[in-house]
Amino acid sequence: EETLLWLRGCGPRDMVEKGTTLLKRMEISVAEAEKRTGKNAVSMQETYTVYLIETRAVDAASEGANPAPDSLWRRYSEFELLRNYLLVTYPFVVVPPLPEKRAEFVWHKLSADNMDPDFVERRRVGLENFLLRVASHPVLSNDNIFYSFLTQEQSWKEVVFETGFQAKADSRLKALNATFRVKNPDKRFAEMKHYGDELQSVISQLLRVRARVADRLYGVYKVHGNYGRVFSEWSAIEKEMGDGLQSAGHHMDAYAASVDDILEEEEHYADQLKEYLFYTEALRAVCRKHELCQFELEMAAQDLTSKKQQREELATGTVRTFSLKGMTSKLFGQETPEQREAKLKTLETQIEDGEEMVKEKNAECEEFVKNAWVDIERFKEQKDRDLKEALISYAIMQISMCKKGIQVWSNAKECFSKM
Amino acid sequence: MSAGTPKSLPSSGQKSIQEVCHPLSAEEPVLPPSPDGGSTTTTKDLSLPNGNAVDTSSPASSSSLLNRLQLDDDLDGETRDLFVTVDDPKKHVSTMETYITYRVSTKTTRTEFDLPEYSVRRRYQDFDWLRNKLEDSQPTHLIPPLPEKFVMKGVVDRFSEEFVETRRKALDKFLKRVADHPVLSFNEHFNVFLSAKDLNKRQGLALLSKMGESVKYVTGGYKLRLRPVEFAAMGDYLDVFTQKLGTIDRIAQRIIKEQSEYLVELREYGPVYSSWASSEEEALQEPLDGVAGCVANCCSALEEQTEDMSEDFLPVLREYILYIESMKNVLKKRDQVQAEYEAKLEAVAFREDKKTPVPTDVEKCQDRVECFNADLKADWDRWQNNKRQDFRQLLTGMADKNIQYYEKCLAAWESLIPLLQDKQEAKVETN
């Protein structure tokens, strides 16, 4: 087992240059996407997309040999399987999210069709991003199943199922969905969960409004295209003014067309926001799992206490507190000493087991808290870095849009002044 | 604000409009008008304002050169001798009504005026009176339009700053166009309008007696068979031009609407960043608040631009549509005059004795037709020039407003970048 050297991150580059993460040794990319048709589980014809994962050892490239990368094809559902496995196996990790399954928060001109080439392309980028995040994670990057996902074409699915994670997944899922109350909630985790909820709400709102803004911006730009046509028609009846009008009209057409690229670029920004929107779910999952841990510990402790109490009652023969058992034995007669002896013995074993259980659960909890908090801190720093970068690039996009606008209108102005 | 007008008029006489070259082209010479109001005989005496005879032979003659130069605003100040401005709107409240008056200031060296300077107050209906008087007394000329008379109460606030300012600009333009017109500017009603302390409308009637004869153009019942080619071309041009202006008006309105709706969404967009910032720690809080601030700046820039479009662009466009209507009416009046002449001529052609001379009233009709045609062509050319300058100004203004909008947004976003990037780099160093 490799020991992890977890170095606190300090800059944008550290995602790639961690101590022993996989990414340092291996280049990973999702190079292509292709449509396939085949028969699904119920023998119905279906069309789906597969993604080409390419990997290459880093040192191989640096030696100047430049060998061809290894590659295999995977579909979205296999990515999902991988992620579910990671979620169950590393409950204390804020597991990176996958890109959205269906296009959401779309502004109207953008296609919501899963088969749309732009959507497929953005998904390809999102999947690559997912793999890079996992491969640079100090814990996740060392997972064998992950490694096989990248390198083993055949029977990967079987290998995953062999780990038996499904069983764990089912029981965990049941537990997570059940409502339970923790007596002494850990303040830090409660705060983190609350933050996750807030972040989810605000990013959702931001994405919704942004889509509406994009819609309106599109309308403004496109209407200007009408100027192009009318200036052209008008220039036909003019003598000296004609040329200036005609050329200005061309610039208006260019202006109207420019909005497509602008909004395409902004989709990238929306995708960055979406990643963190989905990250909030992973964050919340960790907090919930901690609660579950805590709850199980509390239950074990409670159970132990009640067993100890029962032993005391039995040993002293006094009924401390009112209990139905006590009542019935009073009503229906005392037990024989042999019966009592047998009961005591069982209780003793149970108490022993119970104490073991509590010790175990306690250790589990402590371990979980330690590991989870490390990963949460890592996540927080990553989030602050990434989102700041996203905002900077958004500002740069806006600057570029303004400069384009100034250019076009300056050109048009020159044409007008020559009228 | 109004375009500089060439002092001298190209009058082509009976030539077709296609044969008359544009004043900016190198060929034909330009002929000055006679300075008295109203139309008299054709201006066969060619002389420049400075008294020299016009050299009609060489293409680079001084008159065409002068005319070319006169379209340059800078030179105009030297040749103009009448300056008119409309400003200082004031609200008047009386028991009967509330209305706005404007100050009309005049500076002039013309001998037709008693004083070199005047400052009077006029209200919209005074301008309306003037325009009607000009139309009646100068029926062969194109009178510039006034801004719309009626505004729907309840829809538009007649006393709002924006409305008053828009109207003031249009009234100013109207007077300047009249002042720049070589014939209209010498009209006696115009003189009275500019100089009389109290515009008593009855004054106008007394002045009419002198003008009476030339005013009465018969408009009864004559129908023109065929409009001459040059005037038909004008009519066609005006029809298409009206259409295009109407389209541009609709596009501009649509853009304003789309921009307003965009603004509504932007106003909701910015605050989401602020709300997000409040749940973050400093590292992310500052950038988020920064973005919210930028979006807010863009909102106010957009609001300003949209307002400018509504207040400056649309009214001028609409005013030109009215101008075109006036021009069409003048064309129609000309048709009437020609129709009358042709009818009378026909009537005479049927008389038996062909040896007796053509009666004088038919001759007078012929004169009227020729004068009208000359005046109309001259006004048409001037109008075309002014139109060119007006639209050049209007459209470059529109482009300017858009440039300014983007420049404001650019400044906001650019100021955010160094704020964010410095912090980022500093953090790397301290760790």
Side-chain angles (χ1 to χ4, degrees), chain B residues 145-275:
Chain B
L146 277 178
E148 304 266 1
K149 187 183 223 162
F150 298 110
V151 271
M152 290 211 280
K153 287 192 189 160
V155 176
V156 179
D157 178 9
R158 291 179 301 135
F159 303 106
S160 76
E161 244 182 75
E162 294 85 29
F163 178 79
V164 171
E165 176 58 16
T166 303
R167 205 173 230 206
R168 184 202 66 76
K169 282 192 198 138
L171 295 174
D172 181 83
K173 195 138 206 210
F174 167 75
L175 285 188
K176 283 186 159 77
R177 280 175 172 153
V178 176
D180 286 343
H181 195 287
V183 174
L184 297 179
S185 62
F186 288 94
N187 184 285
E188 267 155 315
H189 297 98
F190 187 51
N191 190 314
V192 164
F193 178 89
L194 293 178
S195 55
K197 261 293 162 248
D198 229 320
L199 193 63
N200 188 339
K201 298 181 180 104
R202 275 174 278 261
Q203 258 185 319
L205 280 171
L207 287 166
L208 252 179
S209 55
K210 191 176 172 196
M211 316 280 283
E213 209 190 284
S214 53
V215 168
K216 297 297 175 230
Y217 277 76
V218 182
T219 51
Y222 297 102
K223 198 127 183 251
L224 184 70
R225 243 164 285 157
L226 188 66
R227 209 184 235 182
V229 166
E230 56 190 319
F231 298 109
M234 287 183 196
D236 290 339
Y237 172 86
L238 291 175
D239 285 337
V240 179
F241 191 37
T242 303
Q243 214 186 57
K244 297 309 155 200
L245 286 188
T247 305
I248 293 174
D249 183 280
R250 275 192 300 281
I251 295 171
Q253 278 187 66
R254 179 77 191 278
I255 289 175
I256 288 171
K257 176 165 170 279
E258 295 286 338
Q259 281 182 344
S260 304
E261 288 173 352
Y262 174 54
L263 187 61
V264 165
E265 301 299 346
L266 266 190
R267 285 218 170 100
E268 208 188 306
Y269 185 52
V272 180
Y273 282 100
S274 295
S275 140

Side-chain angles (χ1 to χ4, degrees), chain B residues 96-134:
Chain B
M96 297 291 279
E97 53 176 348
T98 307
Y99 59 92
I100 307 268
T101 63
Y102 305 84
R103 178 177 65 182
V104 178
S105 315
T106 311
K107 281 198 176 66
T108 180
T109 56
R110 289 189 186 178
T111 51
E112 288 80 9
F113 290 86
D114 295 330
L115 300 172
E117 280 185 37
Y118 291 93
S119 180
V120 297
R121 294 214 74 95
R122 298 282 180 252
R123 54 187 290 191
Y124 181 92
Q125 63 188 46
D126 299 332
F127 286 82
D128 198 37
W129 169 87
L130 172 63
R131 190 173 192 280
N132 289 331
K133 282 278 168 274
L134 287 173

Side-chain angles (χ1 to χ4, degrees), chain B residues 174-398:
Chain B
F174 167 75
L175 285 188
K176 283 186 159 77
R177 280 175 172 153
V178 176
D180 286 343
H181 195 287
V183 174
L184 297 179
S185 62
F186 288 94
N187 184 285
E188 267 155 315
H189 297 98
F190 187 51
N191 190 314
V192 164
F193 178 89
L194 293 178
S195 55
K197 261 293 162 248
D198 229 320
L199 193 63
N200 188 339
K201 298 181 180 104
R202 275 174 278 261
Q203 258 185 319
L205 280 171
L207 287 166
L208 252 179
S209 55
K210 191 176 172 196
M211 316 280 283
E213 209 190 284
S214 53
V215 168
K216 297 297 175 230
Y217 277 76
V218 182
T219 51
Y222 297 102
K223 198 127 183 251
L224 184 70
R225 243 164 285 157
L226 188 66
R227 209 184 235 182
V229 166
E230 56 190 319
F231 298 109
M234 287 183 196
D236 290 339
Y237 172 86
L238 291 175
D239 285 337
V240 179
F241 191 37
T242 303
Q243 214 186 57
K244 297 309 155 200
L245 286 188
T247 305
I248 293 174
D249 183 280
R250 275 192 300 281
I251 295 171
Q253 278 187 66
R254 179 77 191 278
I255 289 175
I256 288 171
K257 176 165 170 279
E258 295 286 338
Q259 281 182 344
S260 304
E261 288 173 352
Y262 174 54
L263 187 61
V264 165
E265 301 299 346
L266 266 190
R267 285 218 170 100
E268 208 188 306
Y269 185 52
V272 180
Y273 282 100
S274 295
S275 140
W276 183 358
S278 62
S279 62
E280 289 291 342
E281 283 158 28
E282 200 199 315
L284 211 47
Q285 193 176 62
E286 279 186 33
L288 287 169
D289 276 329
V291 170
C294 283
V295 174
N297 283 339
C298 292
C299 281
S300 42
L302 182 62
E303 192 176 19
E304 224 181 289
Q305 192 267 15
T306 311
E307 261 172 34
D308 285 340
M309 285 294 283
S310 287
E311 285 164 23
D312 294 335
F313 188 78
L314 286 180
V316 175
L317 214 56
R318 289 183 186 148
E319 182 191 287
Y320 250 91
I321 296 179
L322 293 175
Y323 218 162
I324 292 171
E325 284 309 305
S326 297
M327 182 56 108
K328 281 188 189 170
N329 287 334
V330 175
L331 275 173
K332 284 195 195 124
K333 279 193 241 166
R334 191 218 67 88
D335 287 348
Q336 287 286 303
V337 170
Q338 182 176 338
E340 187 193 343
Y341 166 64
E342 283 177 359
K344 291 205 169 135
L345 194 63
E346 241 183 66
V348 161
F350 282 121
R351 63 194 166 88
E352 310 88 35
D353 184 1
K354 301 236 163 92
K355 286 206 193 97
T356 55
V358 176
T360 45
D361 68 317
V362 178
E363 254 183 30
K364 272 208 185 126
C365 269
Q366 187 182 19
D367 279 347
R368 276 194 212 130
V369 173
E370 287 178 11
C371 283
F372 210 132
N373 289 351
D375 287 343
L376 184 56
K377 279 180 212 166
D379 275 1
W380 173 263
D381 289 334
R382 180 182 305 103
W383 182 77
Q384 283 286 2
N385 277 335
N386 288 348
K387 172 207 77 181
R388 186 176 171 191
Q389 293 196 13
D390 286 343
F391 276 96
R392 188 190 302 154
Q393 190 178 47
L394 183 70
L395 292 170
T396 52
M398 171 176 92

